[in-house]
């Protein structure tokens, strides 16, 4: 396997950072080293922010007309699609995710550029009646230099969703991919260059969280910070940004429930309960990691879920199994640490609970699809994000109890409600504390257009959809006395 040597993109140039330190990038499916990336320093981050500032304030970028910005973003979408298969394979190599999920991620990335490309010339203010002789109007201006800290679970998709929105609104970008998964961000950077973006409009700094990430989050000259990742790191990022009064958008994961009633469309419910916890081996912010099922249908429903989860294939991402590897030994240990608590917390394993051995890929870390029943709803495993293919089952007797259980975590990202009773579904949707509710589906096919984000510790601010443009614009009011 040839090891790719990665560089930063700063001011339109692929450059060696000043730091001598390097990071090995692994293929999670096999453990092999596939790339060598710089561990950038604070100084490298500073160079990138300086380039982004210069591009925002002067040169050609501020002169690009909104519809031309849109055309450039559409060109990026087109080029992502032209390279769909190679990008998907690269994402799979870098993250370990099953190839078909890699392909879906690339398509989603293209759609973000398409969606925000279409929106670029539709971002505008309004006029406000004050009194005769006064003309009052608002301008929706870009915020300036936007910073993006990207996680390792959906590297290309998450980079695309926030960068496309920021660029559509006329901002410049400094992106720091996760240290484990920088490969597709580099390809995206090349595509963006070829699509004609002016130098300095998009900058990519590779490096670790506690150095490069921290330097970006605390930089005095950024105007917005978008972060996706864990609650502890989100807290640090928010504190760092607070020092400079920089607004943040935080997407911090969840412990999302599927709530299943006896009158649910059962086949669909089974399918999505399973899909929503095994997608990307459970390493998904919106994973459906809790099953809340009505006592009257619990036994039969859980049996169906168990049957499905018992027949899943596990293997290297390239072979497109149902479940690929866990990102790293460290993440796998984290899952195991949660599993050690299960029995003391009243839980019993209906399935899995341990690592899976994959013969053809002994260097990867794999985890068996896991179902736990009987957990104390107050326990750690019942309330915390495990980030593995681990489903916890709880039962309820009535709507009241279902809502109480659904809200019994500090998170609030997504909820699935499965019932044919529309009144019940809407009542519950209104009472559940989560940013996205799905009734008789889970995810609605990805939802580029739907605002996405959390209640409580799942974060705040909304990504996706037109709503995300609010993150990347600021409103100016101008009043003229005629
Ligand atoms: P993390 O939150 O530490 O890492 C996410 C990103 O933040 C990476 O780009 C990292 O380099 C950066 N980062 C780390 N420390 C930083 C700092 N001090 N300042 C600025 N940026 C920093 O997540 P980690 O450690 O990779 O995973 C731990 C857990 O976090 C997972 O098991 C999962 O529960 C959760 N997580 C949730 C994600 C989501 O989709 N919401 C994505 C990734 C992780
Ligand atoms: Mg971390």
């Amino acid at each position: 396997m040839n090891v790719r040597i990665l560089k930063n993109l700063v001011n339109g140039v692929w450059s060696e950072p000043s730091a001598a330190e390097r990071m090995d990038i692994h293929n999670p499916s096999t453990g092999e080293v596939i790339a060598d990336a710089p561990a950038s320093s604070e100084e490298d981050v500073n160079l990138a922010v300086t380039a982004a500032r210069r591009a925002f304030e002067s040169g050609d970028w501020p002169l690009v007309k909104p519809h031309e910005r849109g055309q450039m973003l559409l060109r990026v979408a087109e080029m992502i699609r032209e390279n769909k298969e190679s990008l998907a394979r690269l994402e799979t190599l870098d993250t370990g995710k099953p190839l078909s999920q890699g392909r879906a991620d690339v398509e989603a990335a293209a759609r973000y550029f398409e969606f925000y490309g279409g929106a670029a010339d539709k971002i505008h203010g309004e006029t406000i009646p004050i009194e005769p002789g006064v003309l009052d109007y608002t301008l929706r201006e870009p915020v300036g230099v936007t910073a993006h800290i990207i996680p390792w679970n959906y590297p290309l998709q998450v980079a695309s969703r926030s960068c496309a929105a920021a660029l559509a609104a006329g901002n410049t970008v400094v992106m720091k991919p996760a240290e484990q998964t920088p490969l597709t961000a580099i390809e995206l950077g090349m595509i963006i260059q070829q699509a004609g973006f002016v130098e300095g409009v998009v900058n990519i700094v590779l490096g670790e969280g506690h150095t490069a990430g921290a330097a970006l989050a605390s930089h005095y000259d950024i105007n917005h910070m978008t972060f996706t990742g864990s609650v502890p790191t989100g807290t640090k990022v928010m504190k760092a940004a607070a020092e400079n009064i920089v607004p943040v958008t935080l997407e911090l994961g969840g412990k999302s429930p599927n709530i299943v009633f006896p009158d649910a469309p059962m086949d669909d419910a089974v399918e999505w309960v399973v899909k929503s916890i095994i997608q990307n081996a459970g390493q998904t912010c919106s994973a459906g990691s809790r099953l809340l099922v009505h006592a009257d249908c619990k036994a039969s429903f859980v049996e169906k879920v168990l049957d499905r989860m018992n027949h899943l294939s596990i293997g290297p991402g390239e072979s497109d199994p149902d479940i690929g590897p866990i990102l790293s030994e460290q993440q796998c240990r984290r899952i195991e640490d949660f599993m050690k608590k299960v029995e003391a917390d009243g839980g019993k394993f209906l399935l899995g609970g341990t690592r899976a051995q994959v013969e053809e890929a002994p260097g990867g870390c794999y985890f068996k699809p896991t179902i736990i029943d009987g957990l104390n709803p107050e326990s750690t495993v019942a309330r915390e994000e495990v980030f593995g293919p681990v489903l916890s089952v709880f039962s309820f007797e009535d709507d009241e109890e279902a809502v109480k259980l659904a809200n019994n975590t500090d998170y609030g990202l997504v909820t699935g409600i499965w019932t044919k009773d529309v009144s019940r579904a809407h009542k519950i949707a209104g009472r559940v504390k989560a940013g996205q509710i799905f009734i008789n589906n889970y995810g609605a096919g990805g939802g580029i257009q739907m605002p996405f984000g959390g209640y409580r510790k799942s974060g705040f601010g909304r990504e996706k959809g037109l709503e995300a443009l609010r993150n990347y614009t600021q409103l100016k009011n101008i009043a003229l006395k005629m």
Side-chain angles (χ1 to χ4, degrees):
M1 162 81 49
N2 71 328
V3 173
R4 294 158 193 259
I5 309 294
L6 308 182
K7 294 181 176 176
N8 287 345
L9 176 59
V10 177
N11 206 28
V13 179
W14 292 96
S15 45
E16 282 301 344
S18 59
E21 282 174 41
R22 312 287 303 181
M23 314 182 291
D24 281 344
I25 312 300
H26 297 91
N27 173 357
S29 293
T30 61
E32 270 177 305
V33 174
I34 50 172
D36 169 73
S40 300
S41 66
E42 190 177 344
E43 180 49 27
D44 301 315
V45 170
N46 196 30
L47 290 173
V49 175
T50 305
R53 172 59 58 197
R54 198 183 311 119
F56 181 74
E57 303 292 347
S58 56
D60 289 341
W61 180 241
L63 306 177
V64 177
K65 294 174 186 141
H67 77 271
E68 292 168 347
R69 283 203 304 266
Q71 285 164 350
M72 289 160 80
L73 291 167
L74 292 176
R75 178 79 190 116
V76 173
E78 198 179 306
M79 290 169 73
I80 290 175
R81 284 217 180 83
E82 282 164 12
N83 292 286
K84 188 164 176 174
E85 191 58 22
S86 64
L87 281 169
R89 287 184 180 275
L90 198 62
E91 193 75 324
T92 286
L93 185 72
D94 207 11
T95 61
K97 67 177 61 192
L99 190 53
S100 53
Q101 292 175 30
R103 291 187 182 119
D105 285 7
V106 176
E107 175 59 20
R111 286 193 56 206
Y112 281 118
F113 280 96
E114 216 163 53
F115 181 85
Y116 291 112
D121 59 358
K122 300 167 193 74
I123 301 168
H124 47 67
E126 54 191 1
T127 54
I128 302 171
I130 304 291
E131 61 181 51
V134 172
L135 171 64
D136 191 271
Y137 62 97
T138 62
L139 298 178
R140 196 163 275 284
E141 298 182 336
V143 294
V145 176
T146 60
H148 307 252
I149 295 181
I150 312 296
W152 47 262
N153 54 347
Y154 290 82
L156 181 63
Q157 243 204 85
V158 174
S160 299
R161 83 177 177 200
S162 69
C163 293
L167 293 169
N171 299 283
T172 58
V173 163
V174 178
M175 183 205 309
K176 193 207 79 66
E179 52 270 50
Q180 302 89 344
T181 58
L183 293 185
T184 47
I186 298 296
E187 296 298 308
L188 182 63
M190 289 183 190
I191 287 174
I192 283 172
Q193 274 188 310
Q194 286 165 33
F197 281 84
V198 185
E199 62 192 23
V201 173
V202 174
N203 305 274
I204 302 174
V205 188
L206 304 180
E208 293 181 323
H210 65 98
T211 50
L216 184 55
S218 62
H219 203 288
Y220 72 96
D221 205 25
I222 60 170
N223 301 107
H224 186 272
M225 162 57 64
T226 301
F227 172 83
T228 303
S230 64
V231 174
T233 304
T235 307
K236 283 186 201 162
V237 163
M238 190 173 165
K239 280 185 184 164
E243 290 294 331
N244 301 308
I245 319 292
V246 168
V248 293
T249 301
L250 299 178
E251 202 264 85
L252 306 178
K255 189 75 179 176
S256 299
N258 271 297
I259 309 174
V260 179
F261 288 90
D263 66 344
M266 286 299 171
D267 291 348
D268 286 352
V270 171
E271 183 181 335
W272 283 100
V273 164
V274 174
K275 269 194 189 168
S276 71
I277 188 58
I278 65 165
Q279 182 175 323
N280 202 20
Q283 304 167 111
T284 300
C285 51
S286 55
S289 52
R290 291 185 296 151
L291 167 60
L292 315 184
V293 56
H294 194 282
D296 288 353
C297 62
K298 183 185 173 195
S300 63
F301 191 82
V302 170
E303 194 184 305
K304 286 183 190 143
V305 170
L306 192 123
D307 183 56
R308 284 288 303 277
M309 285 183 62
N310 206 8
H311 289 94
L312 298 171
S313 55
I314 308 176
E318 293 80 359
S319 67
D320 204 21
D322 296 314
I323 300 186
I326 302 302
L327 174 85
S328 61
E329 175 61 32
Q330 190 188 350
Q331 283 299 121
C332 209
R333 282 217 195 107
R334 193 174 170 277
I335 301 173
E336 285 180 315
D337 287 343
F338 279 117
M339 296 305 98
K340 283 180 198 150
K341 298 184 175 43
V342 164
E343 276 163 10
D345 287 334
K348 69 169 195 287
F349 291 102
L350 303 184
L351 189 68
T354 57
R355 287 185 195 228
Q357 300 307 323
V358 172
E359 264 171 42
E360 72 263 41
C365 303
Y366 295 83
F367 208 86
K368 290 179 188 160
T370 298
I371 306 177
I372 306 167
D373 192 15
L375 275 174
N376 176 350
E378 303 305 322
S379 66
T380 309
V381 182
R383 293 166 53 92
E384 288 298 318
E385 184 173 63
V386 173
F387 236 51
V390 177
L391 179 67
S392 303
V393 182
F394 304 88
S395 74
F396 62 87
E397 299 279 349
D398 55 25
D399 295 12
E400 205 52 43
E401 197 182 0
V403 169
K404 196 168 161 238
L405 276 171
N407 289 335
N408 195 34
T409 78
D410 290 335
Y411 292 105
L413 196 56
V414 173
T415 297
I417 303 171
W418 299 87
T419 173
K420 287 181 190 142
D421 180 341
V422 284
S423 306
R424 166 179 273 164
H426 285 290
K427 277 187 205 150
I428 291 179
R431 295 179 63 196
V432 165
K433 296 188 171 76
Q436 273 191 344
I437 314 284
F438 296 104
I439 300 171
N440 296 335
N441 77 97
Y442 199 91
I448 307 296
Q449 309 93 321
M450 294 182 291
F452 175 66
Y455 276 41
R456 300 190 285 179
K457 291 211 170 58
S458 288
F460 56 81
R462 293 292 177 265
E463 300 212 61
K464 303 189 175 185
L466 294 175
E467 189 67 22
L469 292 169
R470 289 179 192 269
N471 301 332
Y472 304 110
T473 54
Q474 54 194 340
L475 209 56
K476 179 180 278 172
N477 188 89
I478 299 173
L480 164 75
K481 182 93 171 82
M482 289 184 278

